[in-house]
């Protein structure tokens, strides 16, 4: 790879733009990348047309970095195209890795989503029955928009993925290290999570930890938690125990509990199951009624256990083939 | 034989934007549609979530301007919890948000807008970008821009712990106070930012206002729209980005509405078209009248210029000076010159910096009483802030446990969906003439129309300032010509 410049593409699916900002937040490092690589596609910075990708030979790209999940037909089309044209495909950020926050939509239905957005909201024009359609004919002219799928998919449910970089968004230092490793060809086995550490967040959290025994859970607004003690010990649900480190512990050091954006730690298949077992082990009671009462302090547990990973969870039984 | 011109994709809002232009037999523009092809459905999937989690979920609507969603959501949640908020928390949030404005406006002006003016609207696309601008104005200024945008980000990180995908607001206040030593760290940065905003204003005067061609383009080009203006104002009718009432003023300067955030649904409604996932807000009391201009229209803009149009004055002295100078040049207040958005943006930035200076001198700002524990749950709340790209409304309802039961969001750029659709068509009609093949310079002139709005799908282009564009011309289904704007 040393004598020939790397051919790189960056592209997005159902994303918010935060992953692209994370790449840009590596600042002058981008110029270093540009020195050793040709950035063939990066819609935020360069010409990013589907036709340009289609015109490439298969495998012409060395590396394609895809952020965002797969929410509609256009996202899926691009994912297939990049897989075909690139030797390596990297799922970048929580959405591509696990479906991300837009994956919370998988807890409801497409019909409800469309009904709410276009018919039921209080500011919708009175009497509106119109819902956007993939194809519209207007005065003999055809207008097209992509098909909105029934659910959100993580990238590897649609195409084969070589590496995963977690984070919402990935921490710029990790992005820098990972891109350097790729440039040098120092890559771990296919399927690895890169750009993160091999232990749980708690190991890097500076809050002091003692014995965890919880009689009552508090929602973050119900309590002024001690700034130096483990949040979970104080009864504030923090997902650090079920989360891979790599983010820099930005939330717990700001007085805010972790919500798991870096995904499960190594060896854990299902992040939510891990969190559930951690919570179960700290409930300080043997009485079923009291246990139920204590756990009632954790409403909507699913959205904490799988804030970024509904699409990746074992709850999601049917993968579309 | 009909020709179709498709510009796809421009860049993002929640995904991509697309422009479809239909030409008649003579080659004149018959119709033009500005389409948003993506949608994610936040309004439904936040239902069932504990309210206090919403401010850190909705930030994923946009990762480029997440602080706007964080603040609007925090305010809606505060209202659901009875609006008991620690006074210093409001000040800290406002401080944080003014820093966020400087970061965003700097990125937009220098990376996105400046290439058109510094390099020229029809300059070679290879140099019409931020690198070209740096080449022309010099590395020293380029370095200053990068440094100051970074400082604005750093101020947010010091105050709120993170500067992308914000986490800091909780019902009743914020999660951590600003320590005295952190304030001391910020103070010199704020001074530097103030100097930078005044410098930017001068740069605009030197590069744009000293060029009669640009002034002509701003004042008399096709870039005007006879629609109304919306923006948040304080008690003195000066712009406020974090707090206030929404004021709507027609293009002759008459106040149409002034409303409290909680009453928004009486004043604004959203029209749906089958060919775009993005809704089209309009003034509800006037009813949907279609994509029409004129004094009776129900269409409005919510942009930097709109915010200054609805304001009687600026909130701070140096910004006020600039405000008076701008409207004198534009021929009076309010103005319909859409390209003056860029100027308005710089004036807002001066107010942002002056506001930050005032907070730095406020002895209360380092108070540790930054949060009160709410005692009531009212069941409903609306939060409105001015996102950089327009008035942002979050409206939630909840049950007695504080679990979200419904959400309605009217996002900054969405307000401008109808005007952007209209001005794109207007500029296309003015520029695409029968018998003249559209070239890249012309495409850029069309882009300049919606770029003035700083729509959120251009957010992501902020950093390097390049909107990828392609026009494909078909004649009877057969490809005739492709014009590409490469990097």
């Amino acid at each position: 790879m040393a004598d020939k410049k790397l051919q790189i593409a960056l592209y997005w699916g159902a994303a918010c733009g935060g992953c692209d900002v994370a790449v840009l937040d590596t600042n002058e490092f981008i110029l270093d990348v540009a020195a050793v690589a040709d950035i063939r596609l990066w819609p935020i910075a360069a010409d990013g047309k589907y036709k340009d990708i289609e015109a490439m030979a298969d495998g012409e790209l060395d590396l394609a970095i895809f952020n965002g999940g797969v929410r509609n037909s256009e996202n899926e089309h691009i994912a297939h195209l990049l897989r075909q044209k690139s030797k390596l495909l990297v799922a970048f950020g929580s959405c591509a890795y696990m479906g991300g926050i837009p994956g919370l939509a998988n807890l409801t239905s497409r019909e409800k989503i469309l009904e709410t957005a276009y018919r039921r909201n209080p500011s919708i024009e009175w009497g509106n029955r119109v819902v956007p359609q993939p194809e519209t004919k207007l005065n003999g002219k055809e207008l097209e928009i992509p098909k909105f799928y029934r659910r959100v998919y993580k990238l590897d449910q649609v195409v084969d993925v070589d590496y995963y970089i977690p984070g919402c968004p990935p921490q710029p230092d990790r992005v820098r290290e990972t891109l350097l490793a790729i440039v040098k060809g120092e890559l771990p086995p296919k399927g690895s999570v890169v750009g993160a550490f091999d232990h749980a967040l708690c190991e890097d959290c500076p809050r002091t930890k003692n014995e965890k025994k919880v009689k009552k859970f508090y929602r973050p607004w119900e309590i002024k938690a001690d700034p130096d003690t483990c949040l979970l010990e104080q009864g504030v649900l923090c997902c650090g125990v079920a989360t891979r480190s790599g983010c820099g512990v930005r939330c717990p050091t700001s007085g805010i509990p972790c919500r798991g954006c870096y995904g499960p730690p190594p060896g854990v298949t299902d992040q939510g199951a891990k969190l559930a077992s951690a919570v179960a082990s700290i409930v300080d009671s043997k009485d079923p009624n009291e246990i139920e009462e204590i756990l009632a302090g954790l409403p909507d547990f699913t959205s904490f256990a799988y804030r970024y990973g509904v699409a990746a969870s074992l709850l999601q039984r049917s993968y579309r083939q | 034989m009909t020709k179709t011109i498709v510009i796809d994709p421009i860049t993002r809002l929640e995904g991509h934007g697309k422009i479809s232009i239909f030409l008649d037999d003579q080659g004149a523009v018959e119709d033009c549609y500005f389409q948003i092809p993506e949608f994610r459905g936040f309004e439904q999937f936040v239902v069932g979530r504990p309210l206090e989690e919403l401010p850190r979920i909705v930030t994923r609507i946009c990762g480029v301007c997440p602080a706007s969603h964080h603040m609007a959501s925090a305010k809606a949640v505060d209202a659901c919890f009875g609006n008991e908020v620690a006074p210093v928390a409001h000040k800290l949030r406002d401080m944080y948000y003014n820093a966020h404005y400087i970061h965003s406006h700097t990125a937009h002006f220098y990376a996105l807008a400046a290439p058109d003016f510094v390099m020229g609207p029809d300059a070679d696309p290879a140099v019409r970008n931020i690198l070209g601008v740096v080449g022309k104005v010099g590395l020293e200024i380029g370095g200053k821009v990068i440094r100051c945008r970074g400082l604005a980000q750093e101020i947010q990180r010091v105050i709120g712990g993170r500067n992308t995908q914000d986490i800091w607001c909780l019902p009743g206040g914020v999660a951590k106070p600003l320590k005295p030593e952190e304030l001391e760290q910020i103070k010199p940065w704020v001074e530097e930012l103030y100097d930078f905003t005044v410098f930017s204003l001068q740069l605009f005067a030197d590069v744009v206002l000293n060029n009669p061609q640009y002034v002509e383009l701003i004042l008399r080009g096709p870039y005007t729209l006879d629609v109304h203006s919306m923006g948040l104002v304080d008690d003195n009718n000066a712009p406020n980005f974090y707090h206030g009432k929404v004021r709507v003023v027609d293009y002759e300067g008459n106040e149409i509405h002034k409303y409290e955030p909680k009453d928004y649904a009486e004043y604004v409604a959203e029209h749906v078209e089958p060919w775009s996932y993005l809704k089209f807000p309009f003034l509800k009391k006037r009813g949907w009248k279609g994509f029409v201009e004129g004094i009776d229209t129900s269409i409005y803009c919510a942009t930097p210029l709109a915010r200054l149009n609805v304001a009687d004055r600026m909130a701070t002295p140096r910004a006020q000076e600039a405000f008076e100078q701008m409207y004198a040049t534009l021929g009076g207040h309010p103005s319909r010159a859409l390209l003056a958005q860029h100027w308005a943006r710089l004036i807002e930035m001066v107010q942002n910096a002056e506001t930050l200076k005032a907070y730095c001198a406020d002895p209360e700002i380092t108070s540790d009483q930054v949060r009160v524990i709410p005692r009531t749950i009212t069941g409903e709340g609306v939060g409105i802030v001015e996102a950089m790209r327009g008035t942002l409304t979050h409206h939630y309802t909840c049950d007695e446990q504080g679990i979200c039961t419904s959400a309605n969001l009217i996002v900054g750029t969405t307000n401008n969906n109808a005007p952007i659709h209209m001005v794109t068509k207007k500029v296309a009609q003015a520029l695409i003439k029968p018998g003249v093949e559209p070239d890249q310079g012309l495409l850029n002139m069309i882009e300049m129309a919606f770029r003035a709005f700083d729509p959120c799908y251009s957010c992501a282009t902020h950093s390097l300032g390049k909107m990828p564009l392609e026009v494909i011309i078909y004649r009877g289904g057969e490809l005739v010509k492709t014009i590409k704007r490469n990097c």
Side-chain angles (χ1 to χ4, degrees), chain B residues 42 81 92 99 130 133 193-194 214 282 310 352 387 393 452 454 477 479:
Chain B
F42 275 78
F81 280 100
L92 280 168
I130 182 64
V133 172
L193 285 183
Y194 172 73
Y214 288 157
F282 61 96
V310 304
N352 296 139
T393 306
D454 184 15
L479 181 69

Side-chain angles (χ1 to χ4, degrees), chain B residues 365-431:
Chain B
I365 201 78
T366 50
S367 159
D368 57 2
Q369 302 301 306
V370 294
R371 187 156 68 87
V372 294
I373 294 178
R375 286 165 303 180
T376 47
I377 293 178
T378 64
E380 184 164 10
V382 177
I384 295 187
V385 300
E386 276 296 324
M388 281 59 64
R389 295 149 191 93
T391 312
L392 171 63
T393 306
H394 281 227
H395 174 199
Y396 309 144
T397 58
C398 66
D399 66 15
E400 64 280 5
Q401 303 300 317
I403 304 296
C404 179
T405 50
S406 75
N408 187 26
L409 314 173
I410 304 176
V411 177
T413 295
T414 309
N415 292 289
N416 301 313
N417 197 16
I420 291 173
H421 172 69
M422 289 157 70
V423 76
T424 306
K425 179 174 178 177
K426 192 170 181 175
V427 173
Q429 279 177 331
L431 298 178

Side-chain angles (χ1 to χ4, degrees), chain A residues 80-125:
Chain A
H80 282 295
L81 211 49
L82 285 175
R83 175 67 281 180
Q84 191 185 337
K85 305 296 181 187
S86 183
K87 294 186 189 79
L88 286 181
L89 178 64
V90 172
F92 187 97
S94 305
C95 292
Y97 175 35
M98 308 186 283
I101 278 184
L104 289 171
N106 292 6
L107 298 172
T108 175
S109 70
R110 172 175 61 185
E111 289 66 34
K112 274 190 183 163
I113 288 171
L114 293 171
E115 177 74 17
T116 295
Y118 299 108
R119 290 189 173 162
R120 222 178 55 208
N121 268 344
S123 53
I124 288 296
E125 187 178 6

Side-chain angles (χ1 to χ4, degrees), chain A residues 12 16 24 47 52 74 116-118 121 123 125 133 141 146 168 219 223-224 257 259 300 307-308, chain B residues 12 16 30 43-44 49 52-53 56 60 63 269-271 274 277 279 371 401 408 460 463 484 486:
Chain A
W12 52 45
C16 69
L24 292 163
D47 193 351
D52 296 329
E74 182 179 271
T116 295
Y118 299 108
N121 268 344
S123 53
E125 187 178 6
Q133 301 295 326
K141 302 175 183 79
C168 186
R219 285 161 67 183
I223 181 176
K224 289 185 179 171
R259 290 292 174 255
D300 189 34
R307 176 64 55 85
Y308 297 86
Chain B
R12 59 186 320 89
H16 309 285
E30 191 177 283
E43 290 163 324
Q44 177 60 31
R49 311 287 88 84
E52 67 275 15
E53 296 295 317
R56 58 186 304 192
R60 270 68 179 191
E270 295 175 288
H271 174 75
Y277 281 116
K279 294 174 265 193
R371 187 156 68 87
Q401 303 300 317
N408 187 26
S463 301
K484 238 189 274 185
N486 295 308

Side-chain angles (χ1 to χ4, degrees), chain A residues 30-238:
Chain A
I30 286 294
L31 300 176
D32 298 342
V33 172
V36 296
D38 287 331
I39 302 177
R40 294 286 294 273
L41 278 168
W42 193 9
I44 77 166
D47 193 351
K49 288 292 164 289
Y50 307 148
K51 287 181 73 69
D52 296 329
I53 320 175
E54 282 160 7
M56 289 177 190
D58 288 359
E60 184 174 330
L61 293 168
D62 295 301
L63 170 67
I65 295 173
F66 190 101
N67 73 67
V70 175
R71 171 80 272 190
N72 66 29
S73 52
E74 182 179 271
N75 304 148
E76 185 178 7
H77 174 67
I78 297 297
H80 282 295
L81 211 49
L82 285 175
R83 175 67 281 180
Q84 191 185 337
K85 305 296 181 187
S86 183
K87 294 186 189 79
L88 286 181
L89 178 64
V90 172
F92 187 97
S94 305
C95 292
Y97 175 35
M98 308 186 283
I101 278 184
L104 289 171
N106 292 6
L107 298 172
T108 175
S109 70
R110 172 175 61 185
E111 289 66 34
K112 274 190 183 163
I113 288 171
L114 293 171
E115 177 74 17
T116 295
Y118 299 108
R119 290 189 173 162
R120 222 178 55 208
N121 268 344
S123 53
I124 288 296
E125 187 178 6
W126 190 82
N128 177 60
R129 305 306 300 161
V130 175
V131 171
Q133 301 295 326
E135 286 167 16
T136 304
K137 275 204 170 178
L138 262 183
N139 310 323
K141 302 175 183 79
E142 282 178 27
L143 291 162
E144 289 180 11
I145 47 179
K147 186 169 182 237
F148 185 68
Y149 284 164
R150 280 179 47 246
R151 50 161 288 201
V152 174
Y153 300 89
K154 59 180 181 139
L155 187 59
D156 72 5
Q157 288 165 352
V158 171
V159 292
D160 189 37
V161 170
D162 297 297
Y163 296 102
Y164 305 88
I165 300 179
C168 186
Q171 224 260 356
D173 289 341
R174 301 290 95 68
V175 175
R176 197 179 293 130
E177 292 158 11
T178 308
L179 290 179
L180 269 178
I182 292 172
V183 168
K184 291 180 186 162
E186 297 167 354
L187 286 164
K190 182 181 164 169
S192 298
V193 170
V194 293
F197 303 142
D198 287 332
H199 52 259
L201 183 74
C202 300
E203 281 191 38
D204 294 328
C205 180
R207 287 174 177 264
T208 55
K209 292 135 198 122
N210 301 296
E211 200 192 0
K212 291 182 176 52
K213 286 286 171 201
V214 173
K215 278 274 185 207
K216 176 173 166 52
F217 283 104
Y218 297 92
R219 285 161 67 183
W221 62 270
E222 290 178 312
I223 181 176
K224 289 185 179 171
D226 177 78
D228 302 318
T229 311
C230 168
L231 286 163
L232 196 54
E233 275 173 33
Q234 301 181 64
V236 178
L237 183 60
C238 178

